Amino acid sequence: MIRWFLVVFLALMLISWLTPLLQRLGFGKLPGDLRFKLFGREWNVPLASTLLLSMLAAGLARLI
């Protein structure tokens, strides 16, 4: 159980570090990504970017 918490924690840290780089490459700004303001705060829901990155990861996993 602790191993899963560690894996999730490390994955979230990696994603937070890579977010600025991915945004410069255009991820998070694709047509299927949602951006809206609610309660004075901007919220991002990157649906299309998540699908694209998961397809890329699955393709790379298949090659290995």
Side-chain angles (χ1 to χ4, degrees):
M1 182 91 166
I2 285 204
R3 189 177 293 174
W4 280 108
F5 284 125
L6 183 62
V7 167
V8 169
F9 177 74
L10 291 175
L12 289 174
M13 281 184 56
L14 182 67
I15 289 169
S16 69
W17 287 339
L18 291 177
T19 299
L21 173 68
L22 290 173
Q23 284 180 344
R24 275 189 257 142
L25 293 174
F27 290 98
K29 298 177 184 174
L30 295 175
D33 296 334
L34 304 174
R35 297 182 103 180
F36 56 92
K37 273 192 152 181
L38 186 66
F39 303 120
R41 186 171 179 192
E42 189 170 323
W43 296 83
N44 297 328
V45 183
L47 296 174
S49 295
T50 302
L51 287 173
L52 181 63
L53 289 174
S54 65
M55 286 191 295
L56 286 173
L60 288 175
R62 228 175 196 195
L63 291 175
I64 295 176

